[in-house]
Amino acid sequence: MQWQRSVSRALAAAAVPTVLLASPLTSASASAEEPGPSAGSKAVFVLDPDSGRFTTGEQSLTGFGVKPVATYIGKATDTQLLTSGGQNVIGDTTLARSPAKNERAAWAASSHFIDLSWPDLGAARYTVYRDGVRIAATTAHSFRDTGVVAGTEVNYQISGEADGLGHTWGLTATVPTADDTATLTRTAQQIEARARRYTKTAVVWRSFIRQKWASVPKELGSISGCKYTRGYQYKGDNRGFSSKVTGPSFRASLRGVVYWTKSPYDLFPETGVTKVYRNGREVDRRKASTKGIDFRTKTRFDGKTRAVHGQIEATDPFCPSGGIRRAGIGAFYDARLARNGDFYVSGKYRQAPDHEMYLYGYTSGSRHSTKTVHQSKMSSLLCLSQPACERGTIGNYGGY
């Protein structure tokens, strides 16, 4: 395995690490938080979102700065060995190297803690999830989790809302078995090898009607301009959330695929058949147009990360497709996908019908891992009308 590697003189000094004791004081860079059951001290290995490099959240109190020991530039990931006050860690900077500040996030792990950091985009509070379970809410842009087990992988998600958008980061951290440089170097190699297994990532958004039957809300009635209103029923999808790649029915679906070994990407827009019934008998059926469903990449291929944009706009085929009475499914997202499974997602959606978003990381053929990014239940069918409901913001959880 060939990496570009740079090693500093700090390597010899870091060969026999000691544990940096947590300060009981509070620093300005790690403000008040509501810890979960595994919260420990404040994060020390903190990413500077402006530069994309690690600094320290406790530097003014401990007198120690974060020093890079070794840097590994792989084909699939970027990692660093870092030290501060005698404590060594392995840090992943793959997502931190994004050209856009809002996309940058990172983790740094020893055998007994993980420091998470992300950019402060102005959210009143950021919520931290570990393996889908909420463990903290904080006003800071970093968090230390001490409830980890050496030799394991941990999936984190951080969510916050700012400037009318949801901002979510997904990080999969590897907890080393020990903190000596030899073990941390092997851990970096394992992270790179694991990421290289992924050949492509598929992003899937599906909008569906949970109920078996649905009808045009009576509040809209004849003013909706729809062909079938009072006395008619539309057949729903009659299902809950499903992370299956194919099979679940939907009203609108977007599958976009980026490849980690080649530049081209794929787009698969679809709509389901809309069926109308009256007194239990089908009276009409039609498919909505897919012209408003789009997926595209926003950055050049580099084999590590790629920015993408998705747009899902689909109207009821029996209702107006434009003008003030236009109603239908509407969502958009902007994302930075990393080959190792990390991600950043931001976007909005009309709060009807139900929505789900998943990432599938493929290693070969149909073999893949699954990341649940977003799931939301319908507020009301009235929300299909743009003026009726404020758009919701995309949140996330789940992990490779």
Side-chain angles (χ1 to χ4, degrees):
M1 184 179 300
Q2 297 298 318
W3 287 353
Q4 177 186 336
R5 176 182 179 184
S6 88
V7 183
S8 75
R9 293 183 180 179
L11 179 60
V16 184
T18 58
V19 176
L20 176 63
L21 298 178
S23 168
L25 304 178
T26 303
S27 73
S29 62
S31 51
E33 58 188 32
E34 297 174 4
S38 65
S41 58
K42 305 296 183 183
V44 170
F45 298 88
V46 178
L47 182 74
D48 174 11
D50 292 321
S51 65
R53 293 190 292 268
F54 279 101
T55 58
T56 176
E58 299 281 341
Q59 186 171 358
S60 61
L61 300 176
T62 65
F64 298 113
V66 172
K67 299 177 182 178
V69 174
T71 298
Y72 300 99
I73 306 300
K75 290 185 176 181
T77 60
D78 297 327
T79 53
Q80 282 188 310
L81 271 59
L82 306 165
T83 187
S84 179
Q87 173 65 66
N88 291 348
V89 299
I90 177 72
D92 189 306
T93 59
T94 307
L95 207 58
R97 295 182 184 275
S98 169
K101 174 182 173 179
N102 60 303
E103 298 171 350
R104 295 171 184 164
W107 59 265
S110 76
S111 58
H112 55 279
F113 69 79
I114 296 174
D115 282 353
L116 306 170
S117 29
W118 57 92
D120 186 0
L121 301 180
R125 189 164 297 272
Y126 296 95
T127 305
V128 181
Y129 298 87
R130 185 212 302 134
D131 293 329
V133 178
R134 178 183 179 275
I135 61 172
T138 177
T139 58
H141 64 94
S142 62
F143 176 77
R144 171 167 289 189
D145 183 11
T146 57
V148 299
V149 178
T152 62
E153 282 188 4
V154 190
N155 296 300
Y156 293 99
Q157 307 80 39
I158 304 100
S159 297
E161 186 170 325
D163 296 328
L165 288 174
H167 303 274
T168 59
W169 299 266
L171 299 170
T172 300
T174 300
V175 186
T177 56
D179 298 342
D180 60 276
T181 55
T183 300
L184 295 180
T185 298
R186 287 194 297 271
T187 304
Q189 294 170 340
Q190 293 165 0
I191 293 170
E192 169 72 8
R194 185 165 53 247
R196 285 198 190 189
R197 291 167 42 215
Y198 292 103
T199 59
K200 65 180 179 180
T201 296
V203 187
V204 172
W205 180 283
R206 286 189 291 256
S207 299
F208 62 97
I209 295 177
R210 177 178 296 266
Q211 295 82 359
K212 186 175 182 179
W213 301 99
S215 57
V216 174
K218 64 180 181 179
E219 294 89 339
L220 295 179
S222 60
I223 66 172
S224 68
C226 298
K227 183 176 180 180
Y228 301 106
T229 56
R230 187 175 179 180
Y232 293 92
Q233 287 185 307
Y234 292 78
K235 191 169 186 180
D237 297 292
N238 193 30
R239 71 172 179 89
F241 297 121
S242 173
S243 61
K244 293 181 179 179
V245 180
T246 59
S249 62
F250 49 80
R251 300 301 86 215
S253 172
L254 170 61
R255 180 164 60 98
V257 183
V258 297
Y259 298 89
W260 300 116
T261 57
K262 58 184 179 180
S263 179
Y265 64 92
D266 285 324
L267 158 68
F268 303 93
E270 292 184 82
T271 55
V273 177
T274 299
K275 300 178 181 180
V276 186
Y277 287 74
R278 186 181 180 93
N279 298 324
R281 300 183 65 178
E282 183 179 327
V283 295
D284 210 343
R285 62 167 60 194
R286 193 180 299 173
K287 266 195 172 187
S289 171
T290 62
K291 290 182 178 179
I293 304 177
D294 189 33
F295 175 89
R296 62 188 63 190
T297 58
K298 298 164 57 181
T299 55
R300 293 182 178 181
F301 167 80
D302 70 1
K304 294 181 185 179
T305 71
R306 204 154 194 195
V308 301
H309 173 79
Q311 188 83 29
I312 304 94
E313 293 287 342
T315 58
D316 186 319
F318 299 108
C319 297
S321 59
I324 194 171
R325 293 189 297 180
R326 182 192 184 283
I329 295 165
F332 75 88
Y333 62 81
D334 289 291
R336 168 73 64 167
L337 309 175
R339 187 172 181 175
N340 62 3
D342 294 349
F343 73 91
Y344 162 79
V345 171
S346 180
K348 281 191 170 184
Y349 61 95
R350 289 196 189 119
Q351 298 183 61
D354 289 20
H355 306 286
E356 56 190 10
M357 181 180 182
Y358 305 99
L359 301 183
Y360 303 99
Y362 285 83
T363 53
S364 63
S366 61
R367 186 172 182 176
H368 64 82
S369 50
T370 303
K371 182 185 295 290
T372 302
V373 178
H374 174 80
Q375 292 176 334
S376 58
K377 290 185 177 181
M378 176 169 58
S379 174
S380 165
L381 278 173
L382 285 169
C383 293
L384 288 170
S385 175
Q386 176 64 21
C389 295
E390 182 179 354
R391 287 199 178 196
T393 57
I394 294 175
N396 78 277
Y397 57 92
Y400 271 8

